[in-house]
Amino acid sequence: MMRARRLLLGAAALVLAAGTRAAPPDGRALFVRPDKGNCIACHQVPASAGPAVRSDVGPRLDAARLKGWGRARLREVIEDPMRANPDTVMPPYGRHRILDAAEIDRLVDYLHALP
Amino acid sequence: MRFPDPRALLATLLVLAAPAAWGGAEQVRAGILAELRERYPALSPADMAAGAAAFDAARLAQAQARQPAPGAAEAIAAGKRIWTHRFAKGRSLAGCFPNGGRRIAAAYPQYDRRVKRVVTLETAINQCLKTYGQPLLDPADPATMGAVLAYLRSLSEGQKVAIRVAGAAAEARFEDGRRLYFTRLGQRNYACASCHLRHAGSYFGDAALPPPVGSAVSWPWLREGHPVSLQVRIRECLERMGAAPFPAGSEELAQLEYFLAYLSNGLPLRPGAWRPADGPHM
């Protein structure tokens, strides 16, 4: 009886801890979430890397396309794509503080891992 | 989430590549029509009034199967009740407009020389209510203003959009609307034109982006049974741009509407068209 109660309390504490210490969203979630990147509204990605959409405002992103893009170059595109193309419609995620530096890093990981 | 006030930002924002030389409303309209015709030779301006469905056969079939749109008849009936309701001394909204409001909607918004402002249908309705000491309608409320607009515009079904931009003052208000349309606003840094002109017909998520030509024809749209005015739709897009929407009834919205409505000139009014709820990525 005592033991069962202690187990229950322990489980409750774990649930609470999990609730308060939410892991930062991973790259895929940041790519998809409308309140974060919402990148999926403009870019398609390979089927295993994200939801199927018809988006074609931006180019389809996959390993072949991004081959050879280093971290710095990808980070810069997400930070402020207007530096490379002042006319672009892609949002300046870093410059306009839509995403913070850690989130942009997660997205770079995600792009590098695309099949 | 708090958004920056787009009006405070306007002064510092970049204006997207837009028609450089200002040659008046008619030249702007011709330029935009020519650009869309070149990219989509198979689509006429009347086709474009279908919005996203103009580029999407499945959406078009869905829309055609929903004519009249669910909720349209109810909205029109509710609007008629408000329109004909007698408030004092036998007065009603119907009494404020020529012909009880028949065949007037295609000429709105219009520039009013006396008040030096663009007057939308919403402004005109509230002006009437104000004259008779009645409470004003909230331009963002589908159950009252939305319903009145559905009824009033149904009285002009088939009339050709006929927006006048005559004289320097009217041209200046049209130009205000055009400039707003081409200016990047809000945290996401889009201009209306980024999506609706530059990428007209491209897919943003699962929706093809509707072009500016034809977008003043078929509102209020019926979405999940509720009327959505042109102003309300513009405010939704502003919110998604990460900008504080211009207030309902504001001059900025009136100017945007003046610009957009002028681009629909000559197209027959077909209010009450069905539109689906926005997808998760809009």
Side-chain angles (χ1 to χ4, degrees):
Chain A
M1 180 65 197
M2 274 290 279
R3 194 159 162 262
R5 243 181 80 188
R6 226 178 297 132
L7 267 176
L8 258 177
L9 281 173
L14 269 177
V15 167
L16 277 175
T20 50
R21 236 189 311 114
D26 66 5
R28 176 180 168 139
L30 291 164
F31 194 87
V32 171
R33 273 173 52 175
D35 61 328
K36 292 289 187 179
N38 202 23
C39 322
I40 195 74
C42 293
H43 296 285
Q44 295 184 31
V45 289
S48 59
V53 288
R54 300 168 81 177
S55 315
D56 63 1
V57 174
R60 182 188 157 82
L61 301 175
D62 57 28
R65 184 160 193 106
L66 298 177
K67 202 163 72 186
W69 289 50
R71 285 195 78 83
R73 181 165 174 206
L74 279 176
R75 206 182 283 122
E76 184 170 315
V77 168
I78 302 171
E79 281 271 336
D80 187 2
M82 283 176 81
R83 253 183 275 162
N85 173 12
D87 270 352
T88 188
V89 301
M90 177 165 153
Y93 289 96
R95 181 161 61 82
H96 275 206
R97 295 162 201 265
I98 301 166
L99 301 173
D100 63 28
E103 290 173 323
I104 291 173
D105 269 338
R106 294 288 76 72
L107 278 166
V108 171
D109 296 339
Y110 167 81
L111 293 175
H112 269 155
L114 285 176
Chain B
M1 184 167 179
R2 290 188 60 242
F3 298 123
D5 182 336
R7 282 170 299 186
L9 285 175
L10 266 181
T12 57
L13 283 171
L14 285 167
V15 175
L16 279 195
W22 165 241
E26 194 44 36
Q27 189 176 321
V28 169
R29 188 174 99 93
I32 290 174
L33 281 167
E35 180 180 339
L36 290 168
R37 194 180 320 115
E38 187 170 315
R39 281 158 57 195
Y40 295 105
L43 287 183
S44 70
D47 294 332
M48 291 179 192
F55 305 90
D56 184 337
R59 252 296 272 272
L60 193 60
Q62 267 182 309
Q64 282 164 350
R66 290 168 174 79
Q67 264 172 352
E74 292 84 345
I76 289 173
K80 184 175 185 180
R81 281 194 297 276
I82 301 173
W83 189 253
T84 52
H85 169 71
R86 297 190 182 272
F87 18 86
K89 302 193 185 116
R91 302 292 188 170
S92 66
L93 273 170
C96 277
F97 292 84
N99 257 324
R102 270 174 196 76
R103 294 183 302 283
I104 63 162
Y108 280 85
Q110 49 189 232
Y111 180 73
D112 183 328
R113 284 170 206 279
R114 283 169 309 140
V115 295
K116 298 192 167 61
R117 282 186 56 166
V118 174
V119 176
T120 61
L121 282 176
E122 288 92 327
T123 328
I125 288 163
N126 272 337
Q127 189 53 51
C128 169
L129 293 171
K130 194 171 162 192
T131 302
Y132 295 111
Q134 300 300 307
L136 305 191
L137 302 183
D138 174 0
D141 180 23
T144 55
M145 184 66 92
V148 170
L149 291 169
Y151 175 64
L152 180 52
R153 284 180 54 93
S154 79
L155 298 180
S156 292
E157 168 82 42
Q159 296 275 306
K160 287 184 175 158
V161 178
I163 307 302
R164 272 167 51 85
V165 180
E171 287 281 2
R173 295 291 81 78
F174 175 90
E175 169 60 6
D176 288 337
R178 188 202 64 82
R179 198 171 343 98
L180 280 171
Y181 197 82
F182 282 92
T183 301
R184 294 181 186 269
L185 295 170
Q187 196 180 25
R188 301 222 164 211
N189 212 35
Y190 303 127
C192 313
S194 312
C195 289
H196 290 291
L197 188 56
R198 180 85 175 278
H199 289 283
S202 297
Y203 278 85
F204 188 82
D206 286 322
L209 289 162
V213 169
S215 60
V217 162
S218 51
W219 68 273
W221 301 283
L222 271 292
R223 210 172 53 197
E224 297 178 306
H226 302 294
V228 176
S229 67
L230 183 53
Q231 265 195 40
V232 165
R233 176 73 240 190
I234 294 173
R235 295 186 83 229
E236 290 170 351
C237 283
L238 282 163
E239 208 158 305
R240 286 160 168 118
M241 292 157 77
F246 300 115
S250 62
E251 294 194 35
E252 287 88 350
L253 288 177
Q255 290 157 3
L256 271 168
E257 199 175 319
Y258 193 41
F259 165 75
L260 280 177
Y262 188 78
L263 298 183
S264 291
N265 265 359
L267 301 175
L269 231 67
R270 297 275 179 250
W274 172 83
R275 291 289 185 273
D278 281 338
H281 299 294
M282 176 49 213

